[in-house]
Amino acid sequence: MWSKCSRGCSTSSRLIFQIGNSASLATSPEIAGEPTGPCIKTSVPGPKTKQLLCELSKLQQAGSTEIFINYDKSIGNYLVDADENTYLDTYTQIATMPLGYNHPELLQVFRNEHDLKCLVNRPALGVYPGEDWPQRMNHIADAIAPYGLRHLNTMMCGACSNENAFKHAFMAYRRKVRGDDNFTEEEKQSCVLNKPPGSPNLAIMSFLHGFHGRTIGTLSTTRSKYIQKIDIPAFDWPMANFPQYLYPLEEHEECNRAEDYRCLASVEELFEKWCKKGIPVAGVIVEPIQSEGGDNHASPTFFRKLQAICKRNNAALIMDEVQTGGGPTGKFWCHEYFDMESPPDIVTFSKKLQLGGYFFSDDMKVNQPFRTFNTWMGDPGKVILLEKIIDIIVRDQLLQNVRLTGDYLLKQLQCMEKEFSPIIHSTRGRGTFIAITAETPEKRDEMIKRLKSKGVICGGAHPQTLRLRPTLLFSKNHADIFLDKLNEVLKDIKKA
């Protein structure tokens, strides 16, 4: 079992081992100058925001734009908009800000001349990395690599991380079939024409409601909103069912266990079906918590058995930790909760880690140059920020803060759910990666709108989920502000 290391600790990244698991924090993390609470001065959206939206709409489709932010004045867990309104931000740029706005130590990073030059002289990393690049990569891997996955490729974003993870899965599958990487002349010539055997018929399996990106390959595995996929050609790749649990979990154990086995049966059936079609499944991509699809959870048993199915079919298991990686669940990698028999074959990341990339096993390693390659292959400037972020997470015990704050927030929301059911129900989460389900999509949208008017930014997810994605600095004080505002909103909706 890989789940116990030589020191007897539970499965975890090196960062978790350094932080430990003490029961309480001496002090809550604080950012100097952070507001004590929201302050709304205008209607939402305000007049300047409306003016800016009008200007932007003349240049591009701006229907997704919600707020124009004054990034000079935003700080910590609070953002300030163009109309000088101050909001508690529990969504943090779609889950991308581990330390909030304008963390004072991050503002100092590029005052070091060497680091500034790394930022300005942006290299083509696959060909011309800086002389300190191996040292920086080792620093990152030593701190956060999931156990068993020492190899690391950096990329620009989550979608291109997943896209290149697919390529590793395909190449590893073909290497197993072929027995080596000695390509035939027929393979070399046919791939240029997009034909077998050089361009083989292979598939990546994904799950209903999953989201993995908007590039052509990842979009074929994305199974959430139609607006993301419509008019775009897609590969003939299989889609399995992902568990849809009933809550509270302790009251529906038997039903949810049956849901696990129903979904696992669909995975096995699809492996067999696609093999018979002549398009064998080379990899399975899954989120530890389906995020955009509604914050859908699955049990450790589900993930362990999914891994076993992949192994029996010689398929790579790709764990998409683009949203869950970086600590929001209380562990640096969410899959660490699952006590799996061995590491996933590939773990992809982005968002809170500032750049994209993926860790991978020996079996997934590519033996020839230029097979996973692009001009930049990441961004040294983001790596420099990530190094500082990791240091702060360790020093300030921020994952412990996430666990403590998350436990408190989850319990309070569960109590609130009893008072306001069925307006809200199915409270769930790990750490501060928390969601509730509204009675209808319309009521969810109304909740988000009313919270914003009271100075709290939240996120929505398919189909009627309200989700929280706060910073790692989000403390009990911030949680109480959110809970007070949500309580006001729910009372207003209940009266209506």
Side-chain angles (χ1 to χ4, degrees):
M1 289 282 289
W2 83 298
S3 58
K4 300 294 179 183
C5 72
S6 60
R7 287 168 150 169
C9 61
S10 298
T11 300
S12 62
S13 68
R14 294 158 179 79
L15 180 63
I16 300 292
F17 184 80
Q18 292 173 21
I19 291 175
N21 292 288
S22 55
S24 61
L25 267 178
T27 58
S28 296
E30 295 181 356
I31 296 293
E34 188 181 72
T36 57
C39 179
I40 302 301
K41 301 177 179 179
T42 72
S43 59
V44 177
K48 188 170 182 180
T49 294
K50 291 179 180 178
Q51 175 190 342
L52 291 169
L53 183 59
C54 182
E55 293 175 12
L56 184 62
S57 296
K58 294 175 183 177
L59 299 170
Q60 60 183 237
Q61 211 298 319
S64 61
T65 302
E66 294 184 13
I67 296 177
F68 291 89
I69 300 180
N70 185 327
Y71 285 102
D72 292 321
K73 294 185 177 180
S74 300
I75 186 166
N77 292 278
Y78 290 86
L79 69 81
V80 178
D81 73 8
D83 293 283
E84 301 294 318
N85 296 308
T86 301
Y87 304 82
L88 175 65
D89 188 1
T90 72
Y91 197 45
T92 59
Q93 308 289 313
I94 318 179
T96 63
M97 304 191 73
L99 305 180
Y101 297 95
N102 290 317
H103 191 284
E105 291 180 68
L106 296 187
L107 292 177
Q108 299 297 316
V109 165
F110 296 110
R111 297 196 176 185
N112 173 299
E113 186 173 351
H114 171 71
D115 288 343
L116 178 61
K117 288 178 178 177
C118 288
L119 177 67
V120 171
N121 299 297
R122 187 176 185 178
L125 286 168
V127 183
Y128 306 112
E131 62 182 359
D132 61 351
W133 190 242
Q135 177 186 348
R136 291 191 185 278
M137 288 294 93
N138 275 304
H139 182 204
I140 297 298
D142 286 344
I144 67 172
Y147 279 108
L149 303 183
R150 181 65 189 185
H151 302 293
L152 168 62
N153 277 351
T154 55
M155 290 289 163
M156 291 299 301
C157 65
C160 58
S161 301
N162 286 331
E163 191 85 25
N164 281 279
F166 295 170
K167 291 166 63 178
H168 278 258
F170 292 141
M171 290 183 284
Y173 187 90
R174 287 295 296 159
R175 187 165 56 248
K176 292 174 186 176
V177 171
R178 192 188 294 113
D180 54 41
D181 274 337
N182 296 320
F183 312 119
T184 66
E185 283 304 314
E186 184 183 12
E187 287 175 317
K188 294 176 184 177
Q189 294 175 18
S190 60
C191 73
V192 178
L193 303 175
N194 295 346
K195 293 181 178 181
S199 292
N201 291 316
L202 296 173
I204 299 291
M205 187 186 303
S206 59
F207 290 87
L208 180 62
H209 303 310
F211 180 89
H212 302 289
R214 298 170 187 266
T215 54
I216 293 295
T218 59
L219 204 55
S220 290
T221 60
T222 289
R223 311 286 187 165
S224 50
K225 300 172 184 175
Y226 82 88
I227 199 65
Q228 299 157 347
K229 294 173 66 75
I230 196 163
D231 291 336
I232 311 300
F235 293 111
D236 183 15
W237 290 353
M239 179 193 72
N241 294 310
F242 193 83
Q244 301 292 301
Y245 288 160
L246 298 177
Y247 292 87
L249 292 175
E250 61 272 13
E251 296 178 12
H252 300 92
E253 289 184 5
E254 185 175 342
C255 181
N256 291 338
R257 190 178 303 113
E259 178 71 354
D260 276 351
Y261 284 96
R262 179 185 75 86
C263 295
L264 290 165
S266 78
V267 172
E268 294 197 275
E269 290 169 5
L270 288 168
F271 265 109
E272 183 178 352
K273 181 178 179 181
W274 252 252
C275 187
K276 288 179 178 178
K277 289 175 63 170
I279 313 175
V281 174
V284 175
I285 187 166
V286 63
E287 299 160 273
I289 302 171
Q290 282 190 333
S291 299
E292 183 163 324
D295 268 37
N296 304 313
H297 291 245
S299 69
T301 297
F302 173 85
F303 285 102
R304 289 196 293 268
K305 291 186 178 297
L306 175 64
Q307 183 179 51
I309 295 170
C310 289
K311 287 181 180 294
R312 288 199 299 271
N313 288 275
N314 289 318
L317 177 60
I318 304 167
M319 198 69 70
D320 179 348
E321 294 242 28
V322 168
Q323 279 222 23
T324 51
T329 67
K331 292 182 181 289
F332 201 85
W333 303 109
C334 186
H335 75 267
E336 292 169 358
Y337 283 104
F338 304 149
D339 194 24
M340 297 164 72
E341 285 287 335
S342 59
D345 297 287
I346 304 174
V347 175
T348 62
F349 61 83
S350 189
K351 290 195 181 282
K352 278 188 168 59
L353 277 72
Q354 306 304 291
L355 78 165
Y358 49 98
F359 291 96
F360 55 100
S361 67
D362 289 343
D363 287 344
M364 294 294 112
K365 187 176 181 181
V366 176
N367 296 318
Q368 300 85 7
F370 298 105
R371 300 196 77 187
T372 51
F373 180 86
N374 57 58
T375 298
W376 281 330
M377 292 194 69
D379 182 347
K382 301 301 184 186
V383 169
I384 293 167
L385 286 171
L386 178 57
E387 287 181 305
K388 176 57 70 173
I389 288 167
I390 291 170
D391 291 344
I392 294 169
I393 290 174
V394 173
R395 184 196 67 201
D396 295 347
Q397 300 185 23
L398 294 186
L399 300 193
Q400 186 179 336
N401 176 68
V402 169
R403 292 192 292 272
L404 293 172
T405 303
D407 287 347
Y408 172 76
L409 187 54
L410 201 62
K411 289 174 183 176
Q412 296 302 314
L413 284 170
Q414 287 168 340
C415 290
M416 193 176 294
E417 176 185 316
K418 293 176 182 178
E419 179 180 356
F420 292 104
S421 179
I423 298 173
I424 60 169
H425 60 88
S426 301
T427 302
R428 57 204 180 274
R430 292 186 185 273
T432 54
F433 202 98
I434 289 175
I436 56 177
T437 300
E439 187 176 12
T440 64
E442 292 76 20
K443 285 188 177 177
R444 187 275 314 277
D445 293 345
E446 184 179 359
M447 288 165 57
I448 291 175
K449 183 178 179 180
R450 286 176 179 260
L451 281 166
K452 188 185 294 184
S453 71
K454 293 178 179 290
V456 175
I457 304 294
C458 295
H462 175 83
Q464 55 210 58
T465 298
L466 186 149
R467 54 177 169 163
L468 303 183
R469 299 292 188 268
T471 73
L472 306 182
L473 298 167
F474 194 79
S475 68
K476 181 179 179 293
N477 293 335
H478 303 110
D480 282 334
I481 292 170
F482 166 75
L483 291 165
D484 287 344
K485 299 299 183 183
L486 179 61
N487 187 63
E488 293 174 11
V489 165
L490 292 174
K491 284 182 177 179
D492 291 341
I493 292 176
K494 191 173 183 178
K495 290 177 185 177

